[in-house]
Amino acid sequence: MIRTVVVDDSELVRAGLRMIVDSGTDTTVVAEASAGGDAVAVVRDMPGEVDVVLMDIDMPGMNGIDATRKIVEMENAPKVLIVTTFAVETYVYDAIMAGASGFLLKDTPPESLLAAIVSTHAGTAVVSSQMTRRLLASQTPRATPSASAARSAKLDSLTERERDVLTLIGRGMNNAEIAAELVIAEVTVKTHVGHILRKLEVRDRIRCVVFAYEAGVMAGEE
């Protein structure tokens, strides 16, 4: 079972999310929190016992972005999936840069939320390809020379095929779509993705997307 913590300042929202998560065959809620600081404390007090955190952004005290940053820095950190009301590009970008593995709106259908939790746990980015391209293209800061050199060195370590896969990840494609685009087996795509994560030293696919944009791989992409 994917052990989930629900974080939202609304008791009604928490109850609704708990009902949905507990209805899944692969998911269960192990704790709740009503504020960012409480979420950090809950995860810290349950080392290795939380797989995914459903995190709101706008909460009293510590907000969800700051809480996400603290949680992902922990040893054996769970994945964080942002679940909020408004698709504000700055919030999404800040959450991703803080370490969140995905972003969903609260009006997401229950079956899509459950699928997103499973995907997040598996390391798959949970942000629409359109939103990913728009927010990263508009929000990605200019890299320092040293950071650019480090990214270039990592890019150079990729094979030509891995570079192709990285570009398609940057477009928001999943493994099946990449396999169809490159006319290769889906299991081969999965192997390439694993190599890319290791070589780029990133924890999941959404960090691959950020890397691709910041390194200029996606230059010219619409």
Side-chain angles (χ1 to χ4, degrees):
M1 296 292 281
I2 300 173
R3 300 161 297 182
T4 308
V5 171
V6 175
V7 185
D8 197 288
D9 60 336
S10 167
E11 184 175 356
L12 184 61
V13 171
R14 292 199 309 275
L17 289 174
R18 173 183 278 276
M19 184 178 300
I20 293 170
V21 174
D22 283 342
S23 73
T25 57
D26 302 311
T27 56
T28 186
V29 174
V30 295
E32 297 181 11
S34 59
D38 294 340
V40 173
V42 165
V43 175
R44 182 181 293 123
D45 291 343
M46 301 177 66
E49 299 177 24
V50 179
D51 299 309
V52 175
V53 178
L54 301 183
M55 181 76 73
D56 188 23
I57 289 181
D58 188 13
M59 295 180 288
M62 183 185 297
N63 63 37
I65 293 172
D66 290 338
T68 295
R69 186 175 294 109
K70 290 181 178 297
I71 287 172
V72 300
E73 289 174 350
M74 297 179 186
E75 187 175 355
N76 298 318
K79 303 289 178 61
V80 177
L81 177 59
I82 299 295
V83 184
T84 192
T85 305
F86 302 108
V88 179
E89 293 177 8
T90 301
Y91 286 169
V92 180
Y93 182 80
D94 288 347
I96 290 172
M97 296 308 293
S101 294
F103 178 93
L104 287 178
L105 296 180
K106 288 180 179 176
D107 61 0
T108 297
E111 62 274 15
S112 297
L113 174 62
L114 292 173
I117 293 171
V118 174
S119 295
T120 298
H121 183 243
T124 303
V126 183
V127 181
S128 71
S129 57
Q130 182 181 11
M131 173 64 81
T132 299
R133 290 197 299 269
R134 190 172 78 233
L135 74 91
L136 289 175
S138 65
Q139 299 292 331
T140 298
R142 292 183 178 275
T144 63
S146 60
S148 296
R151 292 192 188 103
S152 294
K154 290 177 180 177
L155 273 180
D156 289 342
S157 72
L158 300 181
T159 66
E160 182 177 354
R161 179 58 86 189
E162 289 166 354
R163 180 93 173 231
D164 292 339
V165 172
L166 176 62
T167 299
L168 297 180
I169 290 174
R171 293 180 188 171
M173 290 187 180
N174 59 34
N175 286 358
E177 292 167 335
I178 293 173
E181 177 75 14
L182 299 179
V183 195
I184 57 178
E186 190 171 343
V187 67
T188 302
V189 175
K190 185 176 181 180
T191 298
H192 285 317
V193 172
H195 291 164
I196 292 168
L197 293 174
R198 176 176 54 81
K199 291 181 178 181
L200 299 186
E201 299 178 353
V202 294
R203 65 181 299 210
D204 53 32
R205 291 172 73 108
I206 204 161
R207 239 63 60 184
C208 278
V209 176
V210 173
F211 183 100
Y213 275 88
E214 292 187 334
V217 173
M218 308 306 297
E221 293 284 329
E222 294 299 327

